Amino acid sequence: MEVSFRTSRLHRLFHSESDLIRTFGSRRAQSILARLVVLRRQATLSQVPTTPPERRHQLAGNRGEQYAVDIDRQYRLLFVPDHDPVPRRSDGGIETDLVTAIVIIEVLDYH
């Protein structure tokens, strides 16, 4: 998939291993980089594994249009489809088979 970033600050952070380590620590930074590799290697969102360690999942509530992959037990890498309009199923849900681009919006401990 094509991966972009919500802000130029996030883009710089995710393209500098030393900045990721300084911000998140070595272990978490390595997990973030590993998840980026997985996201970029898949052709569509539906191909991103829903089982650990990635565990792609759609969020709920006010984050219902967002997805996350696990970084570790606490932190998640959050993203949204980068399509206008977002591909939809007949029931209104997001058609993950057609999502070929995403925007990383943040790394968050939302628990």
Side-chain angles (χ1 to χ4, degrees), residues 12 15 23 26 32-33 82 93 102:
R12 284 191 308 274
H15 286 84
T23 304
S26 182
I32 290 169
L33 292 172
D82 190 14
I102 60 170

Side-chain angles (χ1 to χ4, degrees), residues 10-102:
L10 267 178
H11 183 269
R12 284 191 308 274
L13 176 64
F14 277 71
H15 286 84
S16 170
E17 187 172 349
S18 62
D19 287 348
L20 275 174
I21 291 170
R22 186 172 34 258
T23 304
F24 297 107
S26 182
R27 180 180 291 158
R28 196 166 282 146
Q30 293 304 315
S31 292
I32 290 169
L33 292 172
R35 298 307 174 265
L36 281 177
V37 167
V38 169
L39 290 169
R40 286 184 170 131
R41 285 188 178 165
Q42 307 311 313
T44 67
L45 183 56
S46 65
Q47 295 173 342
V48 176
T50 57
T51 56
E54 291 84 13
R55 199 179 71 86
R56 171 191 49 92
H57 53 285
Q58 188 170 7
L59 304 181
N62 63 345
R63 293 186 179 268
E65 296 288 303
Q66 299 176 5
Y67 286 84
V69 290
D70 292 357
I71 294 172
D72 57 27
R73 294 183 75 175
Q74 228 177 324
Y75 280 80
R76 306 294 181 259
L77 179 63
L78 278 66
F79 55 92
V80 294
D82 190 14
H83 293 272
D84 188 20
V86 173
R88 300 281 178 185
R89 298 186 311 252
S90 60
D91 67 2
I94 296 173
E95 181 56 73
T96 58
D97 287 335
L98 299 177
V99 174
T100 59
I102 60 170

